[in-house]
Amino acid sequence: MKQEKIYLKDYIAPAFAVESVNLDFILNEDFCRVIAKSKFKTLKAGVPLHLNGEELKLVSVKINDKALTAADYQLTDEEMIIANVPSEFTLEIETQLEPQNNTSLEGLYKSNGIFCTQCEAQGFRKITWFMDRPDVMTSYTVTIEADKAKYPVLLSNGDRIKVEDIGNGRHKAYWRDPHKKPCYLFALVAGDLGVIRDTFTTSGGRKVNLEVYAAHGKQERCWHAMESLQKSMKWDEEVFGREYDLNEYMIVAIDDFNAGAMENKGLNIFNSRLVLADSNSATDADFHAIESVVAHEYFHNWTGNRVTLRDWFQLSLKEGLTVFRDQEFSADMTDRGVQRIEDVDSLRAGQFAEDAGPNAHPVRPESCMAVDNFFTMTIYEKGSELIRMMQTIVGRKGFRKGMDEYFRRHDGQAVTTEDFAAAISEPNGKDFTQFKRWYNQSGTPVVAIQERFDDKAGEYHLTLEQSCPPTPNQPKKDPFHIPLMMGLLDKSGKELNLNCEKIEKNSDGQNVIELKAQKETYVFKGLKERPVLSILREFSAPVNLNWEASEEDLYFLMEKDTDSFNRREMAQKLALRVMSDLIKQHGQGKELKVDQRFLKAMTTVMSDQNMDAAFKAKMLQLPSLAILAQMEPVLQPVAFDKARQTIRKEIARGNKEALLATYHKYHNVEPKSRDTKIFGQRLLKNQALHYLAELNDPAIFDIVNKQYWEAQNMTDRMTALMILADSESTHREKVLADFHDNWKNDSVVINKWFTVQALAHRPHILDEIKALTKNPTFNINNPNNVYSLLRAFTTNIVSFNNEKSYEFIADKIIEIDPKNPQVAARLCSAFNFVGKLEPQLKELAMKQIKRMVDVPGLSKNSRELLQSALQ
Ligand code: ARG
Ligand code: ZN
C-alpha cells in the first residue's frame, strides 16, 4: 500500500550528495533515450539509496561501470532502491521515454512538435530515476542529440558549449550549468523555433545574451517580453542589488503548458499566452500580465534558484517572496496605488475564498497528497502578503537589510521559511516568534473595531479584537501579529499627529499598530474633536475588518482619505452595503431601490476632473460577485447578479451624459500607446462604455459595434466583443463569427473568444458551452483551452450554479483526469464554494463530488481536493 500523504514532520536530510550529473538525451520520433551519469557521495552510511522514478522504462543501470542485475536493486511504481552502494560511486542509468505520448505535460513531453520539459514540482522523476527533491543540488552537464532539420534549436540550462554535426542528418548540443541546482530547475527544449535577440549589460559589466523563442512567424510578438526582461534585470539590480549570473538568458514560448511559466535556470519555459503580444492581438491587461510574469520568473533566479527550498512544504519561501517582488516591480513600472488595488482585489476574490473553503491550508502546509496541489493562491498571494507585512513592520530600509542578509547567509542553499524570517528579523532587532503563526495557521483573521471618543478628556479610544474562523484541522487559532497601518483625520481631512504610547512609526515614517494581543485598546490623546479613523491603509494585512463605521465616516473617507487605497476601499465597502441591502429587498420580493446617497457619491466621482483616470475607473468599479460571495452567508447567484446589475443600471442612467463625454474624450487617443497614463484613460473609457451598455439602448450598442469593427487595438476590440457577447444585441452573432474567423488559427488569441462566451449571463449558456467544446479550435488536451472555456465557466457564478452544469463539469474532470491530473485538479476548484450553497444546490454539488471521488484510479491530485469537500 502506497503512502497516501506526506508530512513536513517526516522530513529527513538526504543520505547522499550528488556531486555532479551528466545527462545525454537522444531524441527520436518513436522513443527517446536518456543516459544519466551521476557522481554520488554517501553522507549517512548504511542507508539504502532511494531514487524516485515514475512511468519509466529501464534500459540499464550501472555502478562504477558495472551493470547491476535485477537482484541488486528493487523497483516499485515510484522508486528504485539500491541496498548496497559504496561510499563514493558513479551511477549510470539509461531510460527510455515516449514524450509524444506524455499528456500530463510534466517531465519530457511534446507540444506542437517541440520537445520541452516541466520538472517542477516532481517531473524530473519522469525523465530518469533520481533523488527528486529540492535539497539535492548538483552541477549539470547536458548533451542533446536530434534530427537537425526537425530540431535545429537545442537548448538546456547554463552555458552553450558547442553544437556539432554527428552524421545521418543529426546534430548534438553540449550545455553546462556552472551553478548547482535542484532537478526541478532542469530544462530542455528541442525544436524548430523562431527567435529574437538582444543583450543586457549588468551593473558588474557582464554582457548577457537574451533570447526569446517562439513558433516561427510568432517571434515578432516577443518584443514586449524582451523589454520586460530587460526592465526586470535592471530593477532587481537597483532595488535589491541582485545581478544576473550567467551569459545567457532564454525564454521559450510553448502552447501546451499546465501553468503560467517556469523559472528553469537560464532557460525559462513559458505558456505562450504569457509571452506573445502586440497591440493587434493582446489587450492592455495581457501586456501587463506578461511584464509581471516575465519579471516573476526572472526574479526567481535569486529567490528560488540561488536560494532554493529545503522541501516542498516551503514552496511559499520562493513563491510568496517572488510574487511580492513582482508586485513591487509592477508598482514601480505602473501606478503604485492602482497596482495595490488590483492585487488586493485578486487576493480577496481568490485567496480569501480558498481560505474560507474546504481546501484552506496554511502558507506553510504540514501535509499533502499531491505536491502539485500546492501551487495555490494561498502559497503565492497570501505568501506575498506575509512578506509585505514583514516589510511594513521593519520598514523598507530594514527589509532591504534583511534581504541582503538572507542572500549572505543562504546563497547556494536549500532553506526554509524559518530561515527567511530569521534573516529579516534578526538584523532589525525584531522578534518574529508570534509573526510566524501566519505561516502555520490557515484562515483569514478578522479584526473587530470599536471606537469611543471621550470629549472631556480629549481622548479617542480604539479597541481592536482579533479572531479567526475555524478551518480544516484548525478549530482554534492563537493570536496573530497584525500590522495595521493607520491614521486619524480631522474634519477637514487633514492628518492628525498621533499621540499614543502604543504606536511607533516604522522606519518609513508610517504609523503602524502592531496588534499582538487578542484584544487591545489604543488611547490617542490631545484631541479637540472626534477624529475619523483610517485603518488598514494600503491593506497592510490580509484580514477582514468587522467595522460598523457610520455611513458619514465612510463617505468622508471615500472623498478625503490621504491613503488612496482606503478611498477606494470605502467605496467598495459602501457598495457592498448597498448590494447587501438589495439582496434583502430581492428576498422580500420587493422592487429594488438603490440608495440615493451612494448613487450621488458615484456621480461625484464621475464628475471629478482632477482624479487620475485609472484610479477613477477603480473607484467606479463595483465589487465582483466573487467578492460579494464572501461577505454574504449564502451564495444566491440570481439575487447577487440582480443587485449588482441594478446598481450598474442606475449609475448608467444617472450619468449618461458624463459617461458618453468620458467615452468620446478618451476614445482613440493614442490607441497604440502603452504608456501608463494612456492605459488608464483607455480603462476608464471602456468602463464608461460598459456602464452605458447597461441601458440596453440600441444607439449605445451601435457605438459598441462600431468600436468592435474599427478598433485599433485588442483592448478596444475585446471590450466591444465582451459587451456584445453578454447582450441580446443584433450585432452579437456577427462580431462573434468575425472574431472566430480572424483568430481560429491563433492558439493564444482564440482563448479570448472562448472566455467571453463562458462568462456571459445568458439563459441557455450550458448548451453553448457544450457546443464550443465541439468546435474544431477547442482541444481538451490543451490546458489554455480548458482554462479559458471550462474553468472560466465555473467562475460564472450566475450560470454555473445548477444541476446540469455541475454534472457537465464533473464529466469533464473525469475525462481530463487520467490524461492530465494537474489540469483536472485545477478544474476541481469549481466546487470550492459548496459550503456557501443553499441546501438544494449543495446536495446537487455533493452528488457530483461523490461521483468523481468514486471513479476508480482518480488521480491523487483531484482526489485530495474533492475529498476535503466531503468532510
Ligand atoms: N514555479 C512556477 C512559477 O511560479 C510555477 C510552476 C507551476 N507548477 C505546477 N506544478 N503547477 O512561476
Ligand atoms: Zn513563481
Side-chain angles (χ1 to χ4, degrees):
M1 181 67 195
K2 273 187 245 166
Q3 198 185 344
E4 276 275 276
K5 268 189 153 190
I6 55 169
Y7 294 89
L8 171 62
K9 64 173 168 42
D10 293 343
Y11 175 82
I12 306 173
F16 297 86
V18 183
E19 316 239 280
S20 66
V21 58
N22 178 76
L23 300 168
D24 294 321
F25 284 85
I26 299 146
L27 305 178
N28 300 303
E29 297 311 296
D30 43 359
F31 64 84
C32 297
R33 285 274 163 100
V34 184
I35 302 156
K37 213 172 180 177
S38 322
K39 285 206 171 74
F40 277 84
K41 196 170 160 184
T42 304
L43 300 176
K44 289 179 209 160
V47 181
L49 175 65
H50 282 256
L51 301 169
N52 310 93
E54 282 174 24
E55 294 163 42
L56 292 169
K57 192 169 157 193
L58 180 65
V59 179
S60 67
V61 46
K62 296 177 192 161
I63 283 186
N64 292 335
D65 291 324
K66 194 171 158 282
L68 300 193
T69 66
D72 300 325
Y73 57 87
Q74 185 195 337
L75 280 187
T76 72
D77 280 355
E78 298 181 339
E79 282 187 318
M80 175 187 285
I81 304 158
I82 309 177
N84 295 306
V85 289
S87 72
E88 283 182 31
F89 57 97
T90 303
L91 176 72
E92 186 181 318
I93 300 179
E94 183 166 348
T95 51
Q96 187 169 307
L97 315 173
E98 291 178 11
Q100 72 278 13
N101 296 325
N102 178 356
T103 55
S104 68
L105 313 187
E106 49 173 0
L108 179 66
Y109 66 96
K110 253 182 144 174
S111 170
N112 294 338
I114 302 161
F115 286 102
C116 61
T117 53
Q118 171 58 32
C119 294
E120 189 183 18
Q122 299 178 327
F124 195 76
R125 60 187 64 184
K126 292 179 140 194
I127 293 175
T128 188
W129 277 275
F130 200 70
M131 292 175 77
D132 186 357
R133 44 188 290 170
D135 57 355
V136 172
M137 298 172 84
T138 189
S139 313
Y140 285 71
T141 47
V142 175
T143 72
I144 311 164
E145 193 192 306
D147 184 90
K148 192 176 177 180
K150 281 206 180 87
Y151 309 99
V153 176
L154 305 174
L155 310 175
S156 192
N157 319 82
D159 292 319
R160 205 182 299 252
I161 307 300
K162 62 174 177 183
V163 188
E164 63 188 19
D165 284 334
I166 54 169
N168 270 335
R170 292 176 70 83
H171 65 160
K172 183 172 178 177
Y174 295 74
W175 290 83
R176 179 173 55 219
D177 186 350
H179 299 280
K180 287 191 178 237
K181 65 170 177 287
C183 65
Y184 82 85
L185 291 173
F186 166 77
L188 170 154
V189 171
D192 190 4
L193 292 153
V195 62
I196 60 163
R197 295 191 166 90
D198 205 342
T199 60
F200 178 83
T201 305
T202 68
S203 53
R206 181 198 286 270
K207 192 165 167 190
V208 184
N209 295 315
L210 311 178
E211 301 179 329
V212 186
Y213 292 85
H216 275 294
K218 300 263 174 82
Q219 65 268 33
E220 288 308 314
R221 278 196 225 167
C222 294
W223 284 107
H224 176 65
M226 176 69 87
E227 284 161 24
S228 303
L229 175 60
Q230 289 160 330
K231 286 181 188 167
S232 314
M233 296 177 90
K234 187 145 193 292
W235 186 89
D236 213 12
E237 290 182 350
E238 288 171 359
V239 177
F240 284 107
R242 295 295 116 199
E243 215 181 307
Y244 188 58
D245 55 6
L246 284 168
N247 302 316
E248 321 257 347
Y249 195 96
M250 299 168 280
I251 291 176
V252 182
I254 294 289
D255 280 341
D256 300 278
F257 201 77
N258 286 340
M262 182 62 213
E263 69 266 22
N264 317 302
K265 185 83 187 185
L267 176 56
N268 289 181
I269 299 182
F270 270 62
N271 187 321
S272 51
R273 92 184 156 79
L274 287 164
V275 176
L276 305 178
D278 56 26
S279 58
N280 193 34
S281 66
T283 63
D284 293 345
D286 294 329
F287 277 105
H288 188 246
I290 289 168
E291 184 177 82
S292 95
V293 177
V294 168
H296 179 98
E297 306 312 331
Y298 175 72
F299 297 154
H300 268 316
N301 190 56
W302 277 94
T303 49
N305 302 3
R306 292 283 295 238
V307 184
T308 195
L309 313 176
R310 191 194 72 171
D311 57 80
W312 289 109
F313 296 101
Q314 316 298 329
L315 182 59
S316 194
L317 172 75
K318 73 176 175 81
E319 295 305 346
L321 179 54
T322 305
V323 170
F324 171 76
R325 277 150 55 68
D326 84 53
Q327 288 180 350
E328 284 296 292
F329 167 77
S330 292
D332 285 345
M333 294 300 120
T334 59
D335 177 296
R336 181 163 285 274
V338 171
Q339 180 67 36
R340 186 64 187 142
I341 289 170
E342 288 179 355
D343 290 338
V344 174
D345 278 357
S346 97
L347 178 80
R348 277 207 178 110
Q351 197 281 324
F352 279 23
E354 188 169 83
D355 238 349
N359 285 303
H361 53 277
V363 171
R364 196 204 56 196
E366 264 149 39
S367 70
C368 77
M369 279 167 62
V371 166
D372 286 309
N373 285 342
F374 279 161
F375 293 80
T376 63
M377 288 203 72
T378 297
I379 303 293
Y380 277 65
E381 274 72 21
K382 186 176 181 179
S384 163
E385 295 301 317
L386 268 52
I387 309 290
R388 187 175 296 280
M389 285 192 284
M390 292 186 193
Q391 174 175 276
T392 302
I393 292 169
V394 303
R396 284 177 175 271
K397 271 199 220 85
F399 186 72
R400 171 63 198 269
K401 188 158 67 162
M403 286 292 283
D404 288 349
E405 182 64 8
Y406 176 61
F407 295 122
R408 196 188 63 75
R409 290 184 186 179
H410 300 301
D411 188 13
Q413 299 175 3
V415 302
T416 65
T417 55
E418 298 271 337
D419 295 319
F420 181 80
I424 301 297
S425 60
E426 287 166 12
N428 286 292
K430 275 276 175 184
D431 182 359
F432 276 178
T433 311
Q434 185 182 354
F435 183 85
K436 284 188 289 188
R437 287 180 188 156
W438 281 106
Y439 279 107
N440 312 326
Q441 300 189 136
S442 56
T444 305
V446 178
V447 177
I449 297 178
Q450 293 292 339
E451 301 175 79
R452 185 168 71 81
F453 184 64
D454 180 341
D455 47 1
K456 275 202 211 86
E459 285 178 0
Y460 169 75
H461 295 236
L462 173 65
T463 301
L464 303 177
E465 183 171 2
Q466 59 164 308
S467 59
C468 184
T471 44
N473 304 319
Q474 297 191 344
K476 285 219 161 55
K477 330 274 168 139
D478 295 322
F480 291 86
H481 175 176
I482 306 175
L484 296 151
M485 228 193 275
M486 57 96 53
L488 295 176
L489 302 178
D490 74 9
K491 276 213 173 64
S492 68
K494 252 190 28 231
E495 288 288 328
L496 291 163
N497 278 328
L498 304 187
N499 179 4
C500 171
E501 292 163 354
K502 291 182 190 162
I503 297 190
E504 275 175 52
K505 281 195 188 331
N506 71 2
S507 68
D508 299 326
Q510 292 156 327
N511 294 307
V512 181
I513 289 179
E514 293 188 38
L515 178 62
K516 293 182 177 172
Q518 194 249 327
K519 186 172 179 178
E520 185 82 67
T521 297
Y522 301 83
V523 181
F524 298 81
K525 294 191 174 137
L527 296 163
K528 290 197 193 69
E529 51 176 25
R530 185 184 74 90
V532 178
L533 171 69
S534 169
I535 195 160
L536 197 60
R537 285 182 161 174
E538 294 177 25
F539 207 67
S540 60
V543 300
N544 280 313
L545 293 184
N546 181 355
W547 184 25
E548 292 305 319
S550 69
E551 245 177 50
E552 223 45 54
D553 284 359
L554 294 183
Y555 280 111
F556 174 85
L557 290 168
M558 176 177 163
E559 196 188 328
K560 297 240 159 77
D561 201 340
T562 54
D563 180 57
S564 71
F565 179 86
N566 261 2
R567 287 185 68 186
R568 198 275 192 158
E569 181 70 8
M570 297 308 119
Q572 295 279 296
K573 209 172 159 68
L574 285 159
L576 283 167
R577 283 190 185 181
V578 175
M579 281 159 109
S580 196
D581 188 40
L582 293 176
I583 292 164
K584 272 196 207 89
Q585 294 177 26
H586 179 88
Q588 294 158 351
K590 290 188 187 150
E591 195 194 326
L592 304 194
K593 281 217 170 54
V594 182
D595 180 70
Q596 286 303 314
R597 187 166 185 187
F598 180 72
L599 293 174
K600 220 176 122 227
M602 285 286 135
T603 299
T604 308
V605 170
M606 191 64 229
S607 54
D608 187 335
Q609 297 303 319
N610 299 319
M611 199 182 281
D612 168 76
F615 182 67
K616 189 185 271 194
K618 297 295 167 195
M619 287 292 279
L620 292 171
Q621 181 190 28
L622 298 180
S624 65
L625 298 189
I627 286 177
L628 180 62
Q630 287 163 54
M631 300 297 144
E632 291 290 317
V634 181
L635 188 83
Q636 305 170 66
V638 177
F640 283 16
D641 188 43
K642 255 235 136 64
R644 193 165 187 275
Q645 281 324 90
T646 305
I647 307 175
R648 286 178 56 82
K649 230 178 218 128
E650 288 300 312
I651 291 174
R653 222 198 305 268
N655 298 280
K656 186 171 174 189
E657 294 316 311
L659 288 165
L660 274 170
T662 300
Y663 178 75
H664 290 300
K665 180 171 173 195
Y666 296 129
H667 183 53
N668 274 347
V669 175
E670 300 185 49
K672 304 266 185 213
S673 168
R674 299 204 309 258
D675 176 84
T676 301
K677 207 173 125 209
I678 304 287
F679 261 13
Q681 294 176 352
R682 198 147 55 221
L683 183 71
L684 180 61
K685 73 101 192 177
N686 277 326
Q687 188 189 38
L689 192 60
H690 255 296
Y691 267 115
L692 287 164
E694 298 290 347
L695 298 172
N696 252 322
D697 173 349
I700 300 289
F701 285 133
D702 287 346
I703 299 178
V704 179
N705 189 48
K706 188 166 182 292
Q707 169 160 321
Y708 176 86
W709 294 100
E710 295 175 6
Q712 296 184 55
N713 60 56
M714 187 54 106
T715 306
D716 285 354
R717 180 162 286 122
M718 275 313 293
T719 301
L721 185 70
M722 217 182 299
I723 293 171
L724 294 173
D726 201 7
S727 76
E728 300 296 333
S729 157
T730 48
H731 304 300
R732 183 177 192 272
E733 300 305 317
K734 266 213 195 95
V735 294
L736 279 171
D738 176 73
F739 195 92
H740 178 259
D741 283 353
N742 285 333
W743 300 105
K744 60 175 182 287
N745 296 322
D746 192 298
S747 54
V748 169
V749 181
I750 196 63
N751 291 307
K752 297 181 187 307
W753 184 75
F754 289 127
T755 300
V756 290
Q757 297 180 78
L759 295 180
H761 297 176
R762 290 164 61 76
H764 301 293
I765 184 169
L766 180 60
D767 295 333
E768 296 174 4
I769 305 286
K770 285 184 176 166
L772 286 169
T773 62
K774 303 273 171 353
N775 186 295
T777 58
F778 182 85
N779 176 358
I780 199 153
N781 298 325
N782 175 267
N784 287 353
N785 286 174
V786 172
Y787 301 148
S788 60
L789 182 64
L790 303 179
R791 197 196 198 191
F793 176 56
T794 68
T795 68
N796 184 341
I797 293 182
V798 185
S799 309
F800 173 64
N801 285 294
N802 54 68
E803 179 174 23
K804 289 266 170 286
S805 298
Y806 293 159
E807 189 183 354
F808 168 70
I809 288 297
D811 284 344
K812 291 295 153 191
I813 292 173
I814 292 168
E815 179 183 348
I816 296 166
D817 187 76
K819 295 192 274 193
N820 190 328
Q822 284 187 36
V823 170
R826 284 196 179 202
L827 264 187
C828 291
S829 65
F831 295 94
N832 265 353
F833 265 128
V834 276
K836 282 240 163 157
L837 296 174
E838 42 203 6
Q840 225 185 340
L841 273 179
K842 184 169 177 171
E843 202 184 309
L844 294 169
M846 293 302 258
K847 192 175 131 197
Q848 297 305 325
I849 295 172
K850 286 200 193 86
R851 179 164 73 93
M852 291 185 276
V853 170
D854 286 342
V855 168
L858 190 79
S859 70
K860 57 183 179 185
N861 304 57
S862 298
R863 206 146 35 89
E864 177 170 35
L865 299 180
L866 294 169
Q867 256 170 10
S868 54
L870 294 177
Q871 273 145 27

